[in-house]
Amino acid sequence: MSIYKLTINFEEAGKEQVVLPIAAGESVLDVCLDNNIELQHNCGGVCGCSTCHIYVNEGMDNIKEISEKEEDFIDRAIRPRINSRLGCQCEVIDSDIVITIPDQSEFLGH
């Protein structure tokens, strides 16, 4: 199994950048949850909402291709951008990625 680097930046004030290992086929959401990093996931991580919305800053070609279902949910996210993805669907394929987690204080709960 190949292990890569997941670099996480935060929009929320006071949070420092974190670099964590991520295995090929593992999702950003799973790595965040395993490392006690707050990333909302109201649907339980099954591509049924938009609360695990993230921005992929580097390595978009190193993650699983976006599906139509994921695109539909990203359209409902808070402040979507061209580099938006859902953390539950953002699975690493073959190299490092750099992401930003939007300010999680804007969500009302898990």
Side-chain angles (χ1 to χ4, degrees):
M1 179 183 305
S2 298
I3 305 293
Y4 305 106
K5 283 192 315 187
L6 169 62
T7 302
I8 304 172
N9 299 296
F10 300 89
E11 283 186 347
E12 198 169 337
K15 291 198 174 187
E16 298 291 322
Q17 182 183 74
V18 177
V19 180
L20 298 168
I22 186 168
E26 194 171 20
S27 76
V28 168
L29 176 62
D30 287 340
V31 172
C32 287
L33 296 178
D34 290 346
N35 289 278
N36 298 312
I37 294 172
E38 185 178 3
L39 181 56
Q40 297 295 323
H41 54 287
N42 290 355
C43 72
V46 297
C47 197
C49 69
S50 63
T51 58
C52 67
H53 170 240
I54 62 170
Y55 303 115
V56 178
N57 304 325
E58 295 176 31
M60 190 69 86
D61 292 337
N62 303 332
I63 55 178
K64 186 176 88 174
E65 190 172 325
I66 194 167
S67 68
E68 287 184 32
K69 182 178 180 181
E70 182 182 358
E71 283 182 353
D72 289 343
F73 281 109
I74 287 172
D75 288 342
R76 303 174 199 172
I78 297 171
R79 291 184 304 284
R81 300 179 190 159
I82 192 75
N83 64 331
S84 290
R85 291 293 303 265
L86 298 181
C88 68
Q89 299 300 297
C90 194
E91 295 177 5
V92 171
I93 297 171
D94 63 3
S95 195
D96 302 339
I97 61 171
V98 178
I99 68 160
T100 298
I101 295 179
D103 188 340
Q104 297 293 287
S105 68
E106 296 180 2
F107 296 102
L108 296 176
H110 245 300

